Amino acid sequence: MKIFQASLCLLSLLLILPSLFAASSSSEDFDFFYFVQQWPGSYCDTQKSCCYPTSGKPAADFGIHGLWPNYKDGTYPSNCDQTKPFDSSTISDLISSMKKSWPTLACPSGSGEAFWEHEWEKHGTCSESVIDQHQYFQTALALKQKTNLLGALTKAGINPDGKSYTLESIRDSIKESTGFTPWIECNRGGSGNSQLYQVYQCVDRSGSGLIECPVFPHGKCGAEIEFPSF
Ligand code: 5GP
Ligand code: 5GP
């Protein structure tokens, strides 16, 4: 009888074990990405100011900040794999596009590599179950083309002219053009004014397209925000 009970116990353990492992590996994983773009005018007109990259002043367009794996509960993994450092030789075919679409504005001036390295190590390494380093950067570049934020805004008469626009009109114009509601992050300009700083869009786990956000970040803008020139 004892042997029977013991083997039954062992059998149920064997049945349970795989599902325990499945649960723990999926908790190491992620549910969706935030694709985050920054308005350079709003990064640069703060009290802290900015530095143009060594390749020169970027275009007056949104630039990529990052592609961030996230959980549906609002938390997120970071720095997931120290064994996969940033290696610019794996993305040599993308560097010229990255300089245009993913420019760095932090001081001191740099080529962008330090920014891309930070984003890869903090966020990119957490998406390795789905995309490798080359795909990570390529996916972000493709999303920037596809979302065309500045096009969406200007089509609705919202221009980077230092004027104020309602948060609702900004959100609606991006929803109208992309099909999905974005989340807008504001910061403060030199005179303390609230302004359009970053746009968050949600992307499915494979990085192939926009989705409705399972959860929005915290924080809020005023009802009217400035869209600074750059
Ligand atoms: P901040 O505190 O300025 O909002 O964010 C600092 C950094 O934390 C961001 O640049 C990003 O690397 C990370 N971060 C902030 N919020 C989120 C989030 O909701 N999801 C993910 N994945 N990263 C975030
Ligand atoms: P995150 O906020 O994504 O964790 O970190 C952003 C890091 O990248 C900071 O250490 C910041 O100094 C650096 N960085 C370099 N260039 C830029 C830029 O153009 N925009 C932002 N937001 N951060 C930059």
Side-chain angles (χ1 to χ4, degrees), residues 12-190:
S12 44
L13 201 66
L14 285 175
L15 288 173
I16 285 168
L17 268 179
S19 60
L20 282 179
F21 275 109
S24 67
S25 75
S26 72
S27 71
E28 293 289 309
D29 223 336
F30 67 101
D31 296 318
F32 69 98
F33 290 104
Y34 282 127
F35 177 54
V36 184
Q37 297 180 70
Q38 60 182 2
W39 178 250
S42 302
Y43 187 95
C44 288
D45 74 353
T46 66
Q47 267 175 7
K48 211 171 124 196
S49 188
C50 74
C51 293
Y52 294 156
T54 46
S55 47
K57 183 179 177 177
D61 189 10
F62 284 86
I64 299 170
H65 179 162
L67 182 62
W68 303 345
N70 238 78
Y71 299 120
K72 281 190 287 203
D73 69 2
T75 65
Y76 59 91
S78 61
N79 299 97
C80 296
D81 187 0
Q82 292 188 338
T83 71
K84 292 276 167 50
F86 176 73
D87 177 2
S88 60
S89 72
T90 66
I91 54 163
S92 50
D93 58 321
L94 303 178
I95 297 285
S96 71
S97 303
M98 307 239 312
K99 285 186 175 158
K100 291 193 191 104
S101 299
W102 202 326
T104 180
L105 291 166
C107 296
S109 291
S111 64
E113 297 237 348
F115 189 22
W116 307 329
E117 176 177 37
H118 170 87
E119 293 300 312
W120 165 255
E121 285 171 1
K122 180 169 179 182
H123 301 285
T125 54
C126 300
S127 63
E128 281 177 324
S129 61
V130 187
I131 46 178
D132 64 19
Q133 193 166 150
H134 188 272
Q135 289 168 321
Y136 177 76
F137 289 105
Q138 196 170 39
T139 297
L141 289 169
L143 286 166
K144 159 141 171 57
Q145 297 302 318
K146 194 143 86 178
T147 54
N148 185 13
L149 288 182
L150 191 60
L153 292 164
T154 55
K155 204 166 78 185
I158 298 169
N159 300 297
D161 51 11
K163 295 204 179 105
S164 282
Y165 296 90
T166 67
L167 178 62
E168 200 183 358
S169 68
I170 290 173
R171 218 187 263 131
D172 287 352
S173 67
I174 296 172
K175 163 139 201 189
E176 178 71 26
S177 155
T178 64
F180 299 93
T181 304
W183 190 78
I184 309 297
E185 178 183 357
C186 296
N187 69 353
R188 292 200 177 276

